Amino acid sequence: MISKTYLRYIWLLDTISCSRIPLTYDHIVRIWEGSPYAYMGGLPIRTFHEHRKSIEEMFGVIIECDKSNGYTYYIKNPEVLKQNPYAQLLLRKYSVPQDFSTFNMMRDRILLEEIPHGTAYFDNVVEAMRTNTELIIDYQRYEGQRETLTMQPYSMKVYNRRWYVLGYIKEKETIRHLALERFLDLQTTSQKFEYPKDFNPQKYYDNVVGIYVNENLPVVNLKIRVYGVQMEYMRMLPLHKSQCEVKSRYGEFAEFTYRVCLTPELKSKILALGSNVEVLEPAEYREEIMSQISASLDRYMKKNKEI
């Protein structure tokens, strides 16, 4: 679960930004006391102002007091909130309806996606990012290998309901991502690092689908043909932001092009679409996908013979 402190920030941000009327501090306290988060304790005035300050530092969102309107609070720069994908993700995943009593009555019929797990060290990583301080991480890879790594954390990313930390790892002398759920232990340090001015996390992932980045992989032109109802899914949820529909035949197929690196995660996504997708270009990648499908079919045929 995400920490209680972050839930309080999200609740306050959500409450003020979604309110249809200006809210005084007393109004906010009363809403808090009737919320599902009231079990975390009260909202004294000092804590309230500390939350405001933390929200500004973390998201760049300013909760301002309008003294001319009865000391009510409002979001001074709502455009920043709309443009902050991290804040939007947290609000979407962790905010709850203000009418919680109705929500609670329907809890068996409103099925929510599981919250990303492995967040025990979430707060520590965010704080290290904010202060540009190094972390010493006891890490165990999915393959079983355990190692101690010194990381300069640059950014965080959610993928497939998992948190990943991206940063420079001293022992590897390169930028890598680590799955937060694989942290066995974490030590904060006082060792400062300089965040590279030319590094942009968004651009770092520009040419990949998912989390895997290999700087040795070239960016290529990929063309696929999608069949049946999967065409509409693809239009609504593009495989990659570079997706461009170049040809279609109503009710039959649609062809899409991309500028991407051919990573293992991209291959998994394509194979997961099964018979609804066909790789057209590059020719060698088409052969690679065909080989993968053939290997899977051989495995099934072999199993059938054994049965």
Side-chain angles (χ1 to χ4, degrees):
M1 293 287 289
I2 194 169
S3 75
K4 292 181 180 179
T5 301
Y6 280 89
L7 282 174
R8 292 173 71 107
Y9 297 163
I10 295 163
W11 178 89
L12 181 59
L13 191 55
D14 188 51
T15 298
I16 295 176
S17 64
C18 294
S19 178
R20 297 179 180 178
I21 60 172
L23 298 174
T24 65
Y25 165 70
D26 290 336
H27 288 152
I28 294 170
V29 169
R30 285 198 293 272
I31 297 173
W32 170 260
E33 291 173 346
S35 78
Y37 299 143
Y39 74 93
M40 298 179 190
L43 190 62
I45 188 68
R46 181 176 178 180
T47 302
F48 171 71
H49 289 308
E50 287 176 349
H51 286 3
R52 288 176 58 204
K53 181 179 178 182
S54 297
I55 288 171
E56 183 175 352
E57 291 177 350
M58 186 178 305
F59 304 118
V61 178
I62 301 172
I63 298 176
E64 191 66 89
C65 178
D66 186 356
K67 296 180 181 179
S68 65
N69 190 28
Y71 288 84
T72 54
Y73 291 88
Y74 67 100
I75 304 296
K76 183 179 180 180
N77 52 347
E79 70 283 355
V80 172
L81 179 59
K82 293 178 181 178
Q83 295 168 4
N84 188 322
Y86 174 57
Q88 290 298 317
L89 174 116
L90 292 177
L91 286 171
R92 285 196 302 269
K93 283 191 171 291
Y94 301 111
S95 60
V96 298
Q98 293 299 321
D99 187 5
F100 188 75
S101 59
T102 300
F103 179 83
N104 192 44
M105 291 170 60
M106 302 294 291
R107 65 185 183 275
D108 293 331
R109 294 167 60 185
I110 300 176
L111 308 180
L112 302 178
E113 187 177 30
E114 182 184 355
I115 294 173
H117 53 88
T119 56
Y121 300 107
F122 185 93
D123 292 4
N124 304 80
V125 174
V126 172
E127 181 62 17
M129 288 167 54
R130 187 182 71 83
T131 58
N132 287 339
T133 51
E134 294 182 354
L135 296 170
I136 298 177
I137 302 164
D138 189 11
Y139 190 74
Q140 185 164 20
R141 299 190 176 278
Y142 290 104
E143 299 86 354
Q145 180 184 357
R146 183 169 177 170
E147 53 192 333
T148 300
L149 302 170
T150 306
M151 172 181 259
Q152 298 174 354
Y154 291 170
S155 69
M156 298 183 73
K157 179 181 174 70
V158 174
Y159 180 66
N160 277 351
R161 299 187 355 233
R162 290 184 171 90
W163 282 106
Y164 291 88
V165 186
L166 178 70
Y168 181 81
I169 299 179
K170 284 188 170 181
E171 290 77 7
K172 309 292 184 182
E173 297 184 344
T174 188
I175 296 174
R176 295 279 179 86
H177 66 260
L178 301 177
L180 194 58
E181 66 185 48
R182 306 303 294 180
F183 285 28
L184 301 179
D185 192 21
L186 180 147
Q187 297 178 35
T188 56
T189 73
S190 57
Q191 182 65 43
K192 296 284 186 176
F193 68 89
E194 185 174 345
Y195 183 84
K197 295 179 181 179
D198 59 347
F199 182 78
N200 185 317
Q202 194 72 37
K203 289 185 178 179
Y204 182 79
Y205 292 107
D206 256 357
N207 301 314
V208 301
V209 173
I211 196 74
Y212 180 84
V213 176
N214 183 340
E215 295 180 356
N216 294 320
L217 287 177
V219 179
V220 303
N221 294 316
L222 171 69
K223 180 188 283 189
I224 64 174
R225 178 177 288 182
V226 181
Y227 298 91
V229 70
Q230 189 63 47
M231 291 186 294
E232 295 305 321
Y233 287 123
M234 196 69 75
R235 288 165 177 152
M236 292 296 295
L237 294 171
L239 185 63
H240 184 262
K241 66 180 183 179
S242 65
Q243 177 171 300
C244 180
E245 185 169 343
V246 294
K247 183 179 180 181
S248 66
R249 185 174 297 167
Y250 181 76
E252 294 186 32
F253 68 82
E255 292 180 2
F256 301 94
T257 61
Y258 306 86
R259 286 286 293 167
V260 290
C261 296
L262 303 180
T263 65
E265 286 167 287
L266 174 61
K267 182 189 293 184
S268 296
K269 289 281 188 181
I270 291 175
L271 290 171
L273 294 172
S275 61
N276 291 318
V277 68
E278 176 188 1
V279 173
L280 301 179
E281 299 174 7
E284 60 271 21
Y285 192 60
R286 176 183 172 89
E287 292 294 327
E288 186 177 333
I289 295 295
M290 288 175 59
S291 177
Q292 187 81 47
I293 294 171
S294 178
S296 296
L297 182 59
D298 288 345
R299 190 172 292 114
Y300 275 100
M301 296 300 291
K302 181 179 178 181
K303 187 65 176 178
N304 282 342
K305 292 179 180 178
E306 292 176 354
I307 294 174

